């Protein structure tokens, strides 16, 4: 049962995948949810859920960030958790990425998190409580060939969140990150942008090997709902835990990496990537 004392979460990128599943789970658990997205037409069904407010927010647009946070505080009076989920992947050789592609990747996956977090912090500070949850990736802990720019953004999110957790703790605010492995969402489709037009360049051989390794049959993708469960636990478990691996593949790969020497790890990644 939701009422005006129920906790409040603001979620970015709620239109699909992990953000949508997280919206549905928090709402089902009785939270009041500001489900934010770039295109409101993708949230018509979410707007029908009790205590879900669908609001416009493009994480690369400072004025829309400010307006969405102000509207959430106006509607609900507080923000107990922020889920910085919006993001997408850039795939392909670093050298062939355009300046615009590089800027947009960082503007969305990194600067976007900075902007929404800074907009929410004053309210959390005055409450003396709150949890910032950043959706990073296993790609923020283990780098893969041809994901240099995406990896750079997610390693940034991991370092940022861990550092932030120390300075926010004395204010009663927690900072946490989620590191999902592969998740069955639109991520590998419409949320994956390529830095190359074809394979007719110096990286062609690497590209075709990695692409064919990636298109091999994988059966261990997590559902967005199971990642939402991890996000919900991170908001409610009351612990100071900062890193939350999400998905069996993430658990296994991270444990394996930690058990290997650097040379063994590099060889493992090369082999799994078809190189
Ligand atoms: N799927 C995976 O395997 C996987 C693994 C690890 C981490 N992740 C991370 O999980 C997060 C969610 O991805 P997903 O898998 O759920 O993919 P998804 O279904 O494609 O969702 C991506 C979401 O980000 C939103 N978005 C992109 N740019 C935005 C912007 N400038 N402002 C606001 N929203 C923006 C998209 O909105 P639109 O609908 O407007 O495009 C969409 O709602 C991402 O940060 C991703 O890096 C995914």
């Amino acid at each position: 049962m939701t009422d005006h004392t129920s906790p409040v979460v603001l979620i970015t990128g709620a239109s699909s995948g992990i953000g949508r599943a997280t919206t549905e789970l928090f709402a089902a658990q009785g939270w009041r949810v500001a489900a934010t997205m770039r295109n409101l037409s993708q949230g018509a069904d979410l707007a029908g859920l009790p205590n879900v407010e669908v609001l416009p927010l493009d994480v690369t647009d400072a004025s829309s960030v400010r307006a969405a946070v102000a509207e959430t505080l106006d509607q609900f009076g507080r923000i107990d958790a922020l889920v910085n989920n919006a993001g997408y992947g850039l795939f392909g050789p670093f050298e062939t990425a355009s300046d615009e592609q590089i800027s947009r990747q960082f503007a969305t996956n990194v600067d976007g998190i900075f902007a929404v977090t800074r907009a929410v912090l004053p309210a959390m500070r005055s409450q003396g409580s709150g949890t910032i949850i950043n959706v990073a990736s296993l790609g923020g802990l283990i780098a893969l060939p041809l994901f240099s720019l995406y990896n750079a953004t997610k390693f940034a999110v991991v370092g940022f969140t861990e550092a932030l957790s120390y300075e926010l703790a004395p204010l009663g605010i927690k900072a946490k990150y989620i590191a999902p492995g592969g998740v069955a969402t639109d991520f590998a489709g419409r949320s994956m942008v390529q830095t190359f037009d074809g394979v007719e360049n110096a990286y062609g051989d690497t590209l075709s090997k990695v692409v064919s390794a990636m298109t091999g049959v994988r059966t261990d993708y997590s559902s967005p709902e199971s990642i939402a469960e991890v996000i919900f636990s991170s908001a409610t478990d009351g612990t100071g835990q900062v890193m939350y691996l999400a998905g069996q593949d993430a658990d296994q790969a991270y444990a394996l990496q930690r058990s290997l020497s650097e040379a063994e790890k590099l060889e493992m990644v090369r082999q799994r990537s078809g190189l």
Side-chain angles (χ1 to χ4, degrees):
M1 183 69 184
T2 315
D3 60 35
H4 67 281
T5 61
S6 301
V8 176
V9 61
L10 186 153
I11 301 169
T12 66
S15 64
S16 70
I18 295 169
R20 169 174 282 268
T22 303
T23 298
E24 290 169 349
L25 179 60
F26 275 80
Q29 293 291 333
W31 285 53
R32 293 175 290 165
V33 184
T36 73
M37 60 192 68
R38 291 190 283 196
N39 180 354
L40 290 186
S41 67
Q42 290 174 273
D45 54 329
L46 294 176
L49 296 174
N51 297 297
V52 173
E53 203 55 54
V54 176
L55 300 173
L57 194 165
D58 178 334
V59 299
T60 65
D61 174 352
S63 63
S64 90
V65 170
R66 279 193 299 273
V69 171
E71 179 66 18
T72 303
L73 290 169
D74 206 42
Q75 290 276 331
F76 296 138
R78 53 187 296 115
I79 299 178
D80 298 281
L82 164 64
V83 181
N84 280 313
N85 162 76
Y88 72 96
L90 200 50
F91 171 72
F94 165 70
E95 190 183 344
T96 55
S98 67
D99 291 348
E100 194 278 332
Q101 285 181 322
I102 296 173
S103 303
R104 201 165 78 81
Q105 175 78 128
F106 277 82
T108 306
N109 292 13
V110 182
D111 301 352
I113 287 184
F114 295 164
V116 186
T117 301
R118 281 159 78 84
V120 162
L121 275 174
M124 288 188 172
R125 269 194 300 103
S126 68
Q127 292 163 194
S129 67
T131 307
I132 313 266
I133 301 159
N134 296 328
V135 179
S137 171
L138 181 62
L141 299 163
I142 302 175
L144 295 180
L146 301 180
F147 281 99
S148 61
L149 291 161
Y150 180 68
N151 285 142
T153 64
K154 294 300 187 178
F155 272 66
V157 172
V158 166
F160 166 66
T161 310
E162 192 171 313
L164 193 67
S165 71
Y166 296 109
E167 73 191 52
L168 295 183
L171 308 174
I173 303 168
K174 298 178 196 302
K176 301 178 171 232
Y177 67 87
I178 312 296
V183 190
T185 65
D186 288 345
F187 183 73
R190 71 185 183 89
S191 290
M192 190 69 73
V193 177
Q194 296 186 349
T195 67
F196 55 97
D197 287 332
V199 291
E200 300 305 314
N201 62 41
Y203 301 98
D205 185 47
T206 303
L207 260 170
S208 57
K209 286 176 174 161
V210 170
V211 168
S212 76
M214 276 169 54
T215 45
V217 182
R218 260 192 78 174
T219 53
D220 58 350
Y221 283 115
S222 300
S223 65
E225 290 75 22
S226 69
I227 307 304
E229 295 278 356
V230 177
I231 293 172
F232 187 74
S233 300
S234 74
T236 54
D237 66 10
T239 73
Q241 183 177 336
V242 174
M243 175 179 79
Y244 291 74
L245 294 164
Q248 233 181 31
D249 59 336
D251 289 337
Q252 285 170 0
Y254 186 69
L256 180 59
Q257 153 174 276
R258 283 170 64 90
S259 72
L260 300 176
S261 67
E262 193 205 27
E264 289 168 335
K265 179 195 76 178
L266 295 172
E267 187 48 32
M268 173 191 80
V269 171
R270 265 193 293 270
Q271 273 186 20
R272 290 187 175 189
S273 306
L275 295 177

